Amino acid sequence: MIARKLTGNAAVDAIATMAVTGNVIPATWYKTITTSSGKADLVAINILSDVLYWYRPREVRDEYTGDIIAYQKRFASDYLQRNYEQLSEHFGISKRQAKDAVVRLEELGAVKRIFRNVECGAGMMGNVMFIAIDPKRIAELTYPEQSTCPDPMTKKRHSYDGKDPDSGTPMSEFRHRYGENSPDIYKDYSETTERLSSDQPTSQPGKLSCDKGDGGLAETSDEFESAWEKVPRSKASQCAKEKAWRVWGETLGCEGVDEDFLAKTYRRYVIQQENAGTEQRFIATLSTWLKPNRPVAGLSLESAIAKRRSERARIERQKAEREAEARRQQEEERINRLEAEWRDSDPVARELWAKAWDFSGGFDHLSDAMGDYRAYRDEKLKPG
C-alpha cells in the first residue's frame, strides 16, 4: 500500500494507513500504578488495560442513521472471567507474575477477584475466577489531579455516583447521546454488582481462603511446588492450590510422612496416569489425592504409604537378621577362644586334638579321634 502525503513525513504518513488496534494505557498510570520501589508496575498496568478493554461497552449503531443507539458488554457473565493461565499466556509472563500483579491491583482497589462454581456442559467447575473493576478507583488512578472533581468532559460523559438523574437535567449532562430508548449503563457500580450477585446466586461459599484481602496463599514449600507442577492445568486454580496446601499440612501431621515423599509419590501418580493415556479431567488433583479414603485409580496415597511401610518392615527384618547373625558369630568366636584356652591348659585335650588332626591314620581314624575329643570337651569344658 502506498502512503498518501498527509503530513509530509513519510513515516507518519505510512503509519496513518495502518489500522492499529489494542489496549489503551493512560500515561498517568505509569505514575499512579507503581511497585513498592516507586517504579511503574508494567505487568499490572498491562493487565489492567486488558481488563478495562473488556469492560468498555461495545457501540451499537443504527444501520440507517449511523447514530449510536445502545451499548453492549463484551463478556457473557456479570463479571469478566479470567484466570492466571490466560493472563500469563497473553502477556508472555509466568503464572506467578500474573497472580502477583492481580493481587497488587486488588490491593490498589482497582479490581477484585471473585471465585465461583460454574455449571458447564461437562458438569460443575469449581473455583472459577472472575475479575470485577471499581470504575471510581480507576478514574482516580487515571485522573489523579482531578480525582475529587472530574473535568467537565468526564462529568458530561460519565456518572458513577449511583444517583438517579434529576428530571430537569439535560440528558447530555449525564450520559452519551445515543438514543432515548437506550438503557442507562452508568448506574452505580456497587449497586449494580450487588443486584446481579443477589439475582444470580452461586454455590460458592461467601468467604473463601483464596478471597482474602492479604493477597491469597502464603509462602509454600519447594516440595509442595514440585508436586503442584504436576496438577492438571484445568484444575490448578488458586483456591484449589490453597486447599491442597492446607490438606498437605494435615497429611504430614497425621500420616507421619515427609514432604519429599508426598511430592515424589504424587508426581509418580500423575506420570503413571499420563503414560496410561488417562484424560486430565480424570486425574485427581493434589488435595483429592491427599485425602484419605478417596477413590483414586492408580497409585493412591494409601497404597504408597502401605508399600512404604512394607518396604520399611522388610528392611527392618533384614537388619534384625543381620544383627542376629553377627551376634551368633560373635558368640561362636567367644566359645572358640574359650575352647582354645582350655585346650592349651589341658594335656589330655591337647593330645586328643592332635590325634583328631593326624591324617596318617586315614579319614576313619580322624572321625573317631574327633569324636573322642568332643566327648572329652563336653565333659570337662563348660563355656557358659
Side-chain angles (χ1 to χ4, degrees), residues 161-231:
D161 57 6
K163 299 178 181 179
D164 294 330
D166 185 77
S167 57
T169 303
M171 186 172 294
S172 60
E173 290 296 324
F174 64 87
R175 66 179 183 184
H176 289 290
R177 299 180 62 184
Y178 49 74
E180 295 296 329
N181 297 326
S182 302
D184 185 2
I185 64 171
Y186 296 114
K187 296 293 287 182
D188 178 65
Y189 177 79
S190 60
E191 176 186 344
T192 304
T193 53
E194 181 180 356
R195 187 187 72 250
L196 290 173
S197 299
S198 61
D199 292 342
Q200 299 181 11
T202 174
S203 57
Q204 185 75 3
K207 182 65 175 175
L208 291 172
S209 61
C210 55
D211 198 22
K212 297 182 294 184
D214 59 2
L217 189 62
E219 191 67 25
T220 58
S221 64
D222 293 338
E223 292 81 2
F224 174 82
E225 292 294 338
S226 175
W228 186 254
E229 289 176 357
K230 300 299 293 182
V231 174

Side-chain angles (χ1 to χ4, degrees), residues 51-111:
V51 172
L52 194 59
Y53 163 79
W54 286 99
Y55 273 95
R56 288 201 301 270
R58 180 189 294 113
E59 294 180 351
V60 178
R61 292 180 177 271
D62 185 272
E63 181 179 357
Y64 300 100
T65 65
D67 294 337
I68 300 175
I69 59 174
Y71 281 93
Q72 295 178 345
K73 59 187 176 73
R74 300 175 184 269
F75 45 88
S77 185
D78 53 337
Y79 300 113
L80 174 65
Q81 180 181 338
R82 278 291 181 274
N83 57 47
Y84 303 126
E85 184 71 23
Q86 293 170 330
L87 293 174
S88 66
E89 292 181 357
H90 181 69
F91 291 103
I93 58 178
S94 67
K95 289 177 63 177
R96 185 69 182 184
Q97 287 177 303
K99 186 258 185 184
D100 292 343
V102 173
V103 169
R104 291 194 297 271
L105 289 172
E106 189 173 43
E107 293 172 349
L108 196 60
V111 304

Side-chain angles (χ1 to χ4, degrees), residues 327-381:
R327 290 193 297 269
R328 187 192 65 77
Q329 292 180 357
Q330 291 176 356
E331 181 66 14
E332 185 176 348
E333 291 174 357
R334 186 184 70 84
I335 294 176
N336 289 338
R337 286 195 302 272
L338 290 175
E339 183 179 348
E341 293 173 359
W342 167 78
R343 193 168 54 243
D344 292 340
S345 63
D346 191 315
V348 177
R350 286 201 304 273
E351 181 180 356
L352 292 174
W353 180 256
K355 289 180 179 180
W357 291 95
D358 183 6
F359 292 93
S360 60
F363 289 102
D364 292 338
H365 168 73
L366 290 175
S367 178
D368 294 340
M370 182 60 72
D372 294 340
Y373 167 78
R374 288 175 176 170
Y376 182 76
R377 180 198 64 187
D378 295 342
E379 179 184 354
K380 300 293 184 180
L381 178 64

Side-chain angles (χ1 to χ4, degrees), residues 109-357:
V111 304
K112 179 177 177 59
R113 294 174 297 168
I114 299 174
F115 294 90
R116 292 175 170 177
N117 293 336
V118 177
E119 184 71 32
C120 62
M124 182 69 70
M125 293 180 60
N127 303 321
V128 177
M129 188 175 80
F130 294 80
I131 299 179
I133 64 169
D134 186 343
K136 184 177 180 181
R137 180 55 178 155
I138 292 177
E140 293 173 354
L141 296 172
T142 306
Y143 308 105
E145 72 285 353
Q146 301 172 359
S147 59
T148 57
C149 183
D151 63 281
M153 181 60 69
T154 303
K155 184 177 180 181
K156 178 180 179 181
R157 297 177 59 192
H158 303 285
S159 175
Y160 294 113
D161 57 6
K163 299 178 181 179
D164 294 330
D166 185 77
S167 57
T169 303
M171 186 172 294
S172 60
E173 290 296 324
F174 64 87
R175 66 179 183 184
H176 289 290
R177 299 180 62 184
Y178 49 74
E180 295 296 329
N181 297 326
S182 302
D184 185 2
I185 64 171
Y186 296 114
K187 296 293 287 182
D188 178 65
Y189 177 79
S190 60
E191 176 186 344
T192 304
T193 53
E194 181 180 356
R195 187 187 72 250
L196 290 173
S197 299
S198 61
D199 292 342
Q200 299 181 11
T202 174
S203 57
Q204 185 75 3
K207 182 65 175 175
L208 291 172
S209 61
C210 55
D211 198 22
K212 297 182 294 184
D214 59 2
L217 189 62
E219 191 67 25
T220 58
S221 64
D222 293 338
E223 292 81 2
F224 174 82
E225 292 294 338
S226 175
W228 186 254
E229 289 176 357
K230 300 299 293 182
V231 174
R233 285 188 175 184
S234 60
K235 301 180 179 180
S237 66
Q238 182 65 16
C239 281
K241 187 173 184 179
E242 295 190 10
K243 181 179 180 182
W245 175 241
R246 183 174 63 252
V247 180
W248 179 278
E250 295 172 355
T251 304
L252 291 175
C254 298
E255 299 293 346
V257 297
D258 53 40
E259 291 190 289
D260 185 63
F261 170 77
L262 292 180
K264 290 182 178 179
T265 306
Y266 181 73
R267 290 179 67 90
R268 284 200 300 269
Y269 158 72
V270 177
I271 293 173
Q272 175 196 72
Q273 296 301 306
E274 291 175 345
N275 292 339
T278 305
E279 296 183 25
Q280 284 198 348
R281 61 194 180 101
F282 294 120
I283 299 178
T285 189
L286 184 55
S287 58
T288 301
W289 184 83
L290 286 170
K291 286 187 176 180
N293 304 321
R294 295 295 293 270
V296 175
L299 180 62
S300 65
L301 179 58
E302 289 83 356
S303 63
I305 292 177
K307 182 178 180 180
R308 188 172 108 155
R309 288 172 179 168
S310 176
E311 182 66 18
R312 285 186 171 181
R314 184 184 64 82
I315 294 174
E316 291 294 330
R317 186 169 59 253
Q318 291 178 346
K319 180 181 178 181
E321 292 174 354
R322 289 194 298 269
E323 291 176 350
E325 179 63 19
R327 290 193 297 269
R328 187 192 65 77
Q329 292 180 357
Q330 291 176 356
E331 181 66 14
E332 185 176 348
E333 291 174 357
R334 186 184 70 84
I335 294 176
N336 289 338
R337 286 195 302 272
L338 290 175
E339 183 179 348
E341 293 173 359
W342 167 78
R343 193 168 54 243
D344 292 340
S345 63
D346 191 315
V348 177
R350 286 201 304 273
E351 181 180 356
L352 292 174
W353 180 256
K355 289 180 179 180
W357 291 95

